[in-house]
Amino acid sequence: MPRKTKMYHQRPKISRQQLRVIFRNHDRDGDGRLSSAELTKAFHYIGALLPSFRACHALLYTDSDRDGFIDEKDFEQLIDYAEKRQYTVI
């Protein structure tokens, strides 16, 4: 007897533009930088399994001046980092 397989619809990936908007909207204090706490909330919002780990790793990967914040010059690297993880629209 043949095995039945379920057909799952693949969810679309979050685009670079959507990631940009999501990260910008998580700058709660409006200072133009993303703190570790703001990054954690953003990664939670896009569905990361371990958002605090992902935020810490994103800071290590993208924070060029090591001040603990993602600022404007680091922002495109943050988008690259998140895009490589292939988050999908929930």
Side-chain angles (χ1 to χ4, degrees), residues 18-33:
Q18 289 169 319
L19 286 169
R20 193 172 284 111
V21 169
I22 289 167
F23 285 123
R24 292 220 189 270
N25 286 341
H26 279 84
D27 178 17
R28 299 292 182 203
D29 56 5
D31 65 352
R33 307 182 306 171

Side-chain angles (χ1 to χ4, degrees), residues 11-22:
R11 295 186 299 192
K13 294 178 191 168
I14 299 175
S15 70
R16 289 183 67 82
Q17 184 60 31
Q18 289 169 319
L19 286 169
R20 193 172 284 111
V21 169
I22 289 167

Side-chain angles (χ1 to χ4, degrees), residues 16-67:
R16 289 183 67 82
Q17 184 60 31
Q18 289 169 319
L19 286 169
R20 193 172 284 111
V21 169
I22 289 167
F23 285 123
R24 292 220 189 270
N25 286 341
H26 279 84
D27 178 17
R28 299 292 182 203
D29 56 5
D31 65 352
R33 307 182 306 171
L34 290 170
S35 66
S36 178
E38 292 168 333
L39 273 175
T40 299
K41 289 179 183 177
F43 278 108
H44 182 268
Y45 181 83
I46 62 175
L49 292 177
L50 300 169
S52 57
F53 168 79
R54 201 45 74 196
C56 181
H57 198 257
L59 273 171
L60 289 172
Y61 181 78
T62 61
D63 185 15
S64 61
D65 57 4
R66 301 290 182 235
D67 64 350

